Amino acid sequence: MDLHFGDSKPTDDERAAVDALLGPPESSWEGADRTAADLRWARGGRAARDRRDLLLPGLHALNDRIGWISDGALDYLCRRLTVPPAEAYGVATFYAMFSLRPRPATVLHVCTDLACAAAGAAGLCAGLESGPVPGVHVERSPCLGLCERAPAALAIKAGDPVRTAVSAPATVRDAVLAATAPDSAPEEPPAALAVPQAGHPGLLLLGRIGVVDPASLDDYRAHGGYTALRRAFELGPAGVIREVTDSGLVGRGGAAFPTGRKWQATAAQPDRPHYLVCNADESEPGTFKDRVIMEGDPYALVEAMTIAAYATGAHRGYLYLRGEYPRSLARMEHALAQARTRGLLGEDVLGQGWSFDIEIRRGAGAYICGEETALFNSIEGYRGEPRAKPPFPVEKGLFGKPTVENNVETLVNVLPILTMGAPAYAAIGTAKSTGPKLFCVSGSVTRPGIYELPFGATLGELLDLAGVRDGLRAVLLGGAAGGFVRPDERDIPLTFEGTREAGTTLGSGVVMAFDDTVPLPRLLLRIAEFFRDESCGQCVPCRVGTVRQEEALHRIAERTGAAAAGDIALLREVGRAMRDASICGLGQTAWNAVESAIDRLGAYE
């Protein structure tokens, strides 16, 4: 396309979609009809450039209304925000959910990732593609976060308003119905069905799911809601940080960095303002715990974000939510609106004279945006590429200001820490891995879903709860960035230190079981395809290495022994280069699962 302001004009619908977000243009510099006054000076300038962070919401507005983003629509959005079209084009093409080529208003995303692949996604795709559905574009998609109901499909029908429907577990008939008549598609089951332990006493993180009405703030408060925030105001910011530090809470996204240290480092920064970012863009194949929390207990996340902001001196928070989670989006928007109405967000939270509010920013299909600095770039309106560190986010994060970033599970752990006290919380689990942990179990099990266990439980205990089917061949810990273990390694303790000593990783808590009906080489090839697609391309080791890894796995897919030895040696060399030289965790972990399958499972022997 032409990468400067051209002659393409937006349609009335495209103009309306942008104006609904940004308001009507004030001058011809922004796309309004030219007047004599416009020839004398340019309006906007710095004020318009300061709205660069609205680029991603603007792209969503266009994609939601029309189904794709035309040259004229992108040109108009760029004028409104004074963003160079070449840069906006680079941002729009970065995300898998956007299209800059004409396509039907309805897109049916069919998950082809690990859990869905094992559940027959290939046959579902073949059935949908064998007889094209008029007005529907079928797109093979990475993980949709519906692994407990695999195989899954998500239909998005553009319009005003945009309509969505989920089909999971999906059949060809149900998926077509979701795409052609989203308003008539069966309603999604309640979030509690993804929690086999729902209603069990003693659950700290999942205790309200299936018990309270997720839409009711009164119900949430009747079941202990906002007790933790009142306790936080009693302790003061320093007291809250001390409790979180003493509890031993570490990040639940996989990095396991001490949360109290991160909060203290942010709070101590003299530069203002401070920001809070909640990372709800869980895109790791096999991960769906954040979705279940947001759908089943949304006010818990609002309260936890408010506490984190109070402790770190932030008055504004951002919830970066997966674009593939329409029900989570609706639940969180409702919860935020209710919290504002009741004085739990806004200028005077709980009458304490302290202000805080939360803004939702939707992702658009980019796994790399789970990396914290890539997420910041995405919010700011740039390509979601990781930044070099240092400086670290606690010094210069979102908009160049001190920022604390945590994922959903990490934040909701703060609530029991404050209500039960740090010593009682730290007594749960082990000395180095304290508290409860959520595990996303899917694949060849009879009871897939989210499980809450104290750190220190073994892999075997978790698999027994989930009900492993006969013929277990392998277990993948940590998702695509994790590692495979053998079925006989049931005694691995599910702690950060225990999995590390066992030569694997806990990651974000993904546990995927595969029986002997699932071809292991095909799984490894899908993992390689995933990393090739999701690499942002910024650094050479990852950009080239993920392609070379996939090529080698294609060559040896049907070979074993000596015939595969040369390519296995090449895989090891490429894997070491990615691990040692990639700028972020995506490239550094892209070889993990393949390496473990070769060394622990003898995948190509």
Side-chain angles (χ1 to χ4, degrees):
M1 67 175 284
D2 193 356
L3 297 184
H4 59 74
F5 290 116
D7 297 329
S8 301
K9 302 295 183 184
T11 65
D12 290 342
D13 272 353
E14 291 168 340
R15 186 183 292 269
V18 174
D19 290 350
L21 174 72
L22 303 178
E26 296 183 0
S27 72
S28 65
W29 295 98
E30 292 186 352
D33 293 334
R34 186 179 297 278
T35 66
D38 291 334
L39 300 177
R40 295 179 178 272
W41 62 80
R43 299 185 184 183
R46 182 180 296 276
R49 289 194 295 274
D50 285 345
R51 298 199 299 174
R52 168 76 185 244
D53 66 297
L54 294 178
L55 178 58
L56 183 56
L59 294 171
H60 269 298
L62 289 166
N63 202 69
D64 286 348
R65 180 78 68 95
I66 311 301
W68 66 288
I69 302 166
S70 70
D71 293 0
L74 186 64
D75 187 58
Y76 181 64
L77 179 61
C78 289
R79 285 187 182 277
R80 295 299 315 276
L81 297 176
T82 67
V83 174
E87 293 186 20
Y89 179 82
V91 173
T93 54
F94 188 82
Y95 299 98
M97 296 185 74
F98 297 147
S99 174
L100 275 74
R101 296 181 177 180
R103 66 181 181 185
T106 300
V107 179
L108 181 62
H109 299 270
V110 183
C111 179
T112 59
D113 243 315
L114 304 180
C116 289
L124 176 62
C125 289
L128 290 168
E129 294 166 351
S130 62
V133 183
V136 176
H137 172 70
V138 178
E139 187 165 305
R140 298 186 179 222
S141 169
C143 186
L144 295 173
L146 295 162
C147 313
E148 84 281 12
R149 290 184 273 148
L154 168 66
I156 302 176
K157 188 171 186 177
D160 184 21
V162 63
R163 286 172 288 172
T164 62
V166 166
S167 177
T171 63
V172 172
R173 178 182 175 278
D174 291 343
V176 170
L177 177 63
T180 55
D183 295 334
S184 302
E187 187 176 349
E188 279 194 76
L193 285 188
V195 183
Q197 299 167 304
H200 289 202
L203 296 178
L204 296 181
L205 306 181
L206 303 176
R208 279 184 289 263
I209 297 179
V211 176
V212 305
D213 177 0
S216 173
L217 178 54
D218 289 333
D219 206 4
Y220 175 70
R221 297 183 76 164
H223 287 81
Y226 281 95
T227 302
L229 181 58
R230 294 184 183 278
R231 172 69 172 150
F233 283 132
E234 293 173 3
L235 292 171
V240 172
I241 293 175
R242 185 166 54 251
E243 284 287 294
V244 173
T245 302
D246 292 346
S247 74
L249 176 65
V250 299
R252 299 299 201 245
F257 190 84
T259 303
R261 282 176 54 191
K262 181 185 285 190
W263 287 18
Q264 178 59 48
T266 305
Q269 295 297 319
D271 194 12
R272 290 290 190 273
H274 293 181
Y275 290 104
L276 168 72
V277 175
C278 174
N279 183 351
D281 190 51
E282 54 173 2
S283 304
E284 185 76 47
T287 309
F288 50 98
K289 54 189 172 62
D290 293 351
R291 171 182 62 82
V292 173
I293 291 172
M294 290 186 288
E295 291 180 357
D297 197 10
Y299 292 103
L301 180 57
V302 178
E303 181 182 6
M305 288 183 67
T306 308
I307 293 169
Y310 175 67
T312 57
H315 294 283
R316 186 151 197 85
Y318 289 87
L319 173 61
Y320 192 89
L321 201 156
R322 276 199 81 182
E324 297 91 340
Y325 284 176
R327 186 162 70 167
S328 295
L329 175 64
R331 292 275 167 87
M332 293 308 305
E333 286 179 335
H334 176 78
L336 292 176
Q338 290 296 305
R340 292 188 192 102
T341 300
R342 303 283 284 276
L344 300 170
L345 287 175
E347 293 299 320
D348 187 16
V349 176
L350 274 179
Q352 297 293 317
W354 175 74
S355 66
F356 175 67
D357 209 343
I358 298 170
E359 182 176 345
I360 295 177
R361 290 297 174 91
R362 293 160 59 196
Y367 170 74
I368 189 63
C369 288
E371 198 278 339
E372 58 185 358
T373 61
L375 187 156
F376 300 156
N377 276 340
S378 181
I379 292 176
E380 292 177 19
Y382 297 94
R383 289 170 62 87
E385 296 173 342
R387 304 172 185 174
K389 302 175 190 177
F392 293 97
V394 297
E395 301 168 310
K396 290 189 180 297
L398 185 65
F399 303 119
K401 299 297 182 179
T403 303
V404 62
E405 182 267 353
N406 293 118
N407 73 351
V408 173
E409 184 188 354
T410 305
L411 287 168
V412 296
N413 268 273
V414 174
L415 304 182
I417 289 172
L418 293 184
T419 54
M420 68 192 303
Y425 180 92
I428 301 170
T430 67
K432 294 182 179 179
S433 296
T434 63
K437 179 75 183 79
L438 300 181
F439 297 94
C440 308
V441 185
S442 60
S444 302
V445 296
T446 57
R447 294 179 294 278
I450 303 294
Y451 288 84
E452 179 183 323
L453 292 175
F455 272 117
T458 65
L459 176 60
E461 291 171 344
L462 177 60
L463 292 176
D464 288 342
L465 283 176
V468 179
R469 298 174 190 159
D470 293 337
L472 184 63
R473 169 77 170 87
V475 178
L476 179 61
L477 293 181
F484 285 96
V485 298
R486 299 186 306 275
D488 60 353
E489 297 182 278
R490 294 172 52 89
D491 293 334
I492 294 178
L494 296 176
T495 61
F496 292 111
E497 67 276 12
T499 52
R500 190 162 47 244
E501 290 172 4
T504 184
T505 179
L506 191 63
S508 60
V510 174
V511 178
M512 304 181 79
F514 299 101
D515 59 29
D516 51 17
T517 65
V518 181
L520 191 55
R522 179 57 210 159
L523 279 184
L524 299 182
L525 189 54
R526 175 60 197 137
I527 290 172
E529 291 169 349
F530 172 81
F531 282 114
R532 179 211 64 202
D533 288 341
E534 298 295 341
S535 173
C536 74
Q538 181 180 199
C539 67
V540 172
C542 179
R543 182 176 71 239
V544 177
T546 53
V547 174
R548 295 292 172 262
Q549 177 172 265
E550 185 197 4
E551 290 173 346
L553 287 172
H554 266 295
R555 288 194 296 268
I556 63 176
E558 305 300 331
R559 298 188 324 216
T560 57
D567 277 316
I568 289 176
L570 175 63
L571 281 170
R572 293 188 188 280
E573 184 177 352
V574 169
R576 284 193 296 268
M578 289 194 291
R579 183 175 294 163
D580 294 343
S582 295
I583 194 173
C584 80
L586 187 151
Q588 294 163 11
T589 59
W591 154 245
N592 286 0
V594 179
E595 179 184 35
S596 64
I598 293 171
D599 292 341
R600 294 180 96 117
L601 304 180
Y604 297 106
E605 291 179 357

